């Protein structure tokens, strides 16, 4: 009866381990964990009840090793600390009754627990299960040269069932692996998405993974579709301009909005340096914006410095730092038209095209209000209106060419051959 009981327990654990191999299922792992603890008590506890139920030591060690491997099959690649502590306790005794096969089983279980350094797990295909049965067949050798019941070379067949299922995010700016919260969505609407933090291990599930989504405020949202194998997946992310990397700011407490109130009355350059490590933005703020030293500020016109500060603030709030050169180019075009240092005709065409494009976008946004297809503009409408108003004032100067006014206001030139008959301006900003 004692032999039957221990064999039934170990066989049941082995079956559960094969059924939930590489899934990390905590219900299955807890069931096997309890049975391993029960077999351990039969081996280590010295009382009358344990002595009456204890089978021969070789049989008990074989069943305990089989149950330990079963636990690691379920938690393969997860590095579960509770299971690791238990396995260390199991392999600690080195009495003459414990043979080489017992240490082999516990070492195998620890290796499965940290399979591939946490980047691999076990497959669940029929051929994978066959490989696991041949590799972990519960007939352990008594010595290194014992091949009587099971060839020790077959222990290496577990490698055929190893699957690389690591998910890793790479920052496009630094080229380094970063920590990013993600969601894994599955085919169909029954399975709920699971939340993970990359880099991580994608464990086996009953449903096939369909899509990976980035759900972090620190990085721009993206979606990545899984292929048929759903194996190793490396994707690229782009960090928002108003956030630092996770290593420098783990809790996002140094973002632009979080730090704005703390720097009231202090040097604004400290605020900018605390929320971004982009050297281009730091140099722009130091030399062009109205936040620099008094000696440098005196060399810039007040309107230009304030305009650059306004642009920098909007780019931080809207995560559109790539539009800073466009804002500066438009403002420089207005200044050149005002001073007459270049032809105003190309500048008029540029402003007319930008105004027409954003007016069309505004109408499309009104029609798609509340729809998922509604798109947000890269340029701020308030800043754009300010620039267009400045261009209108510059072109209103009578000394400028009439052709630029005609292009900008979309009206024909007044000549003896043509008369302008315009009731409304189709590109009027208002």
């Amino acid at each position: 009866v004692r032999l039957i009981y221990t064999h039934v327990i170990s066989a049941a654990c082995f079956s559960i381990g094969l059924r939930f191999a590489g899934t990390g299922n905590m219900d299955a792992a807890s069931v096997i964990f309890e049975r391993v603890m029960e077999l351990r008590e039969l081996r280590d506890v010295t009382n009358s009840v344990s002595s009456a139920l204890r089978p021969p030591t070789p049989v008990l060690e074989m069943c305990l090793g089989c149950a330990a491997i079963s636990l690691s099959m379920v938690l393969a690649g997860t590095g579960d600390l509770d299971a690791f502590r238990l396995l260390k306790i199991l392999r600690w005794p080195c009495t003459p009754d414990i043979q080489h096969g017992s240490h082999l089983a516990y070492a195998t279980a620890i290796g499965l627990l940290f399979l591939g350094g946490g980047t691999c797990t076990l497959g669940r295909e029929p051929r994978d299960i066959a490989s696991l049965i041949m590799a972990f067949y519960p007939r352990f050798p008594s010595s290194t040269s014992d091949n009587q019941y099971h060839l020790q070379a077959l222990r290496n067949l577990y490698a055929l069932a190893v699957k690389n299922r690591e998910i890793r995010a790479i920052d496009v700016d630094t080229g380094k692996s970063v920590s990013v919260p993600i969601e894994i969505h599955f085919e169909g609407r029954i399975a709920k998405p699971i939340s993970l933090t990359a880099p991580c291990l994608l464990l086996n599930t009953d449903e096939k993974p369909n899509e990976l989504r980035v759900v972090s405020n620190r990085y721009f949202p993206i979606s990545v579709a899984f292929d048929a194998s759903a194996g190793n997946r490396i994707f690229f992310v782009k960090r928002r301009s108003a956030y630092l990397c996770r290593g420098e700011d783990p809790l996002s407490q140094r973002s632009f909005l979080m730090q704005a109130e703390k720097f009231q009355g202090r040097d604004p350059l400290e605020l900018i340096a605390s929320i971004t490590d982009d050297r281009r933005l730091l140099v722009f703020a130091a030399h062009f914006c109205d936040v620099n030293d008094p000696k440098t500020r005196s060399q810039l016109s007040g309107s230009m410095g304030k305009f650059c500060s306004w642009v920098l603030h909007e780019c931080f709030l809207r995560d559109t730092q790539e539009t800073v050169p466009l804002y500066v180019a438009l403002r420089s075009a207005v200044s050149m038209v005002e001073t007459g240092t270049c032809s105003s005709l190309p500048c008029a065409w540029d402003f007319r095209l930008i105004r027409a494009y954003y007016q069309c976008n505004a109408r499309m946004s009104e029609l798609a209000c509340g729809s998922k297809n509604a798109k947000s503009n890269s340029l701020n409408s308030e800043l754009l209106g300010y620039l267009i108003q400045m261009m209108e004032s510059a072109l209103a100067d009578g000394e400028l060419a009439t052709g630029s006014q005609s292009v900008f206001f979309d009206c024909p030139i007044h000549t003896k051959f043509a008369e302008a008959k315009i009731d409304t301006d189709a590109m009027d900003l208002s």
Side-chain angles (χ1 to χ4, degrees):
V1 175
R2 293 178 297 175
L3 296 177
I4 294 175
Y5 181 72
T6 52
H7 279 88
V8 167
I9 288 179
S10 61
C13 292
F14 195 65
S15 301
I16 296 174
L18 293 174
R19 168 63 179 82
F20 295 96
T23 61
N25 189 292
M26 297 311 299
D27 294 333
S30 62
V31 170
I32 300 177
F33 193 93
E34 292 176 1
R35 301 286 78 80
V36 173
M37 292 293 295
E38 182 180 352
L39 294 175
R40 172 179 168 269
E41 290 180 1
L42 286 178
R43 186 191 69 174
D44 298 339
V45 177
T46 57
N47 54 41
S48 57
V49 177
S50 299
S51 300
L53 297 177
R54 183 182 299 122
T57 301
V59 175
L60 181 57
E61 287 293 335
M62 181 188 67
C63 295
L64 191 56
C66 178
I69 291 177
S70 303
L71 177 62
S72 293
M73 281 195 292
V74 177
L75 300 174
T78 61
D80 187 81
L81 290 180
D82 293 332
F84 181 52
R85 294 189 187 101
L86 177 59
L87 294 175
K88 289 178 63 178
I89 294 174
L90 293 179
R91 70 190 301 266
W92 182 256
C94 294
T95 60
D97 297 334
I98 299 179
Q99 300 176 349
H100 166 71
S102 298
H103 294 287
L104 173 66
Y106 302 141
T108 301
I110 294 176
L112 287 177
L113 199 62
F114 298 95
L115 192 61
T119 63
C120 300
T121 188
L122 297 176
R124 300 175 66 192
E125 298 295 328
R127 57 185 179 183
D128 300 328
I129 300 301
S131 301
L132 295 177
I133 293 176
M134 288 188 288
F136 304 138
Y137 188 74
R139 295 295 294 182
F140 303 110
S142 58
S143 64
T144 56
S145 59
D146 182 13
N147 293 282
Q148 181 178 4
Y149 300 106
H150 188 263
L151 292 176
Q152 295 194 37
L154 298 179
R155 300 290 179 189
N156 299 314
L157 291 179
Y158 79 93
L160 299 178
V162 174
K163 308 295 181 183
N164 189 348
R165 294 169 65 89
E166 180 189 15
I167 297 179
R168 191 152 53 98
I170 304 295
D171 194 317
V172 296
D173 296 323
T174 62
K176 298 180 180 179
S177 179
V178 293
S179 179
V180 180
I182 60 174
E183 280 187 354
I184 305 296
H185 293 256
F186 301 92
E187 293 182 351
R189 300 182 179 179
I190 300 177
K192 295 182 179 180
I194 58 175
S195 299
L196 301 172
T197 301
C200 61
L201 178 67
L202 179 60
L203 298 172
N204 295 322
T205 55
D206 294 332
E207 297 80 11
K208 182 180 178 181
N210 182 36
E211 190 181 41
L212 179 152
R213 298 179 184 176
V214 175
V215 291
S216 172
N217 293 330
R218 194 187 305 270
Y219 296 91
F220 288 100
I222 63 170
S223 298
V224 180
F226 283 99
D227 52 15
S229 60
N232 185 25
R233 173 64 62 183
I234 297 178
F235 61 97
F236 295 88
V237 293
K238 172 71 175 178
R239 181 164 53 88
R240 297 179 187 269
S241 60
Y243 289 86
L244 294 176
C245 62
R246 193 177 184 87
E248 299 179 6
D249 185 19
L251 302 178
S252 299
Q253 293 180 347
R254 293 170 62 184
S255 63
F256 182 73
L257 296 179
M258 292 289 292
Q259 291 291 313
E261 297 181 357
K262 298 181 181 180
F263 280 81
Q264 293 292 338
R266 299 177 57 183
D267 187 3
L269 287 177
E270 295 183 21
L271 170 60
I272 299 173
S274 69
I275 60 177
T276 183
D277 52 3
D278 192 336
R279 297 185 60 85
R280 294 171 299 178
L281 292 180
L282 295 176
V283 171
F284 176 77
H287 295 280
F288 291 95
C289 299
D290 194 15
V291 296
N292 38 46
D293 296 333
K295 296 180 181 180
T296 309
R297 186 185 300 116
S298 61
Q299 301 174 4
L300 295 173
S301 61
S303 58
M304 188 63 179
K306 293 179 180 178
F307 174 78
C308 291
S309 301
W310 187 9
V311 166
L312 189 63
H313 182 270
E314 288 297 323
C315 290
F316 275 132
L317 290 180
R318 297 163 59 89
D319 292 311
T320 55
Q321 71 276 15
E322 67 277 0
T323 60
V324 171
L326 180 57
Y327 283 121
V328 175
L330 293 176
R331 181 63 179 84
S332 300
V334 173
S335 299
M336 287 188 292
V337 171
E338 290 176 341
T339 57
T341 56
C342 70
S343 174
S344 60
L345 188 59
C347 300
W349 271 114
D350 292 340
F351 272 84
R352 176 180 171 181
L353 291 175
I354 292 176
R355 183 176 63 178
Y357 173 77
Y358 275 86
Q359 283 182 343
C360 180
N361 264 10
R363 288 193 292 268
M364 295 298 293
S365 299
E366 292 178 1
L367 296 176
C369 184
S371 173
K372 295 182 179 180
N373 297 326
K375 298 181 180 180
S376 58
N377 294 327
S378 298
L379 297 180
N380 181 271
S381 58
E382 188 176 356
L383 269 170
L384 192 60
Y386 169 75
L387 290 170
I388 292 177
Q389 185 178 4
M390 291 187 65
M391 178 58 74
E392 289 179 352
S393 301
L395 292 176
D397 191 347
E399 299 179 359
L400 295 175
T402 309
S404 300
Q405 300 179 7
S406 174
V407 168
F408 183 79
F409 294 106
D410 190 25
C411 63
I413 303 176
H414 291 273
T415 65
K416 62 180 180 179
F417 301 102
E419 225 173 272
K421 297 181 179 180
I422 304 174
D423 296 330
T424 59
D425 185 1
M427 292 187 178
D428 189 5
L429 182 65
S430 59

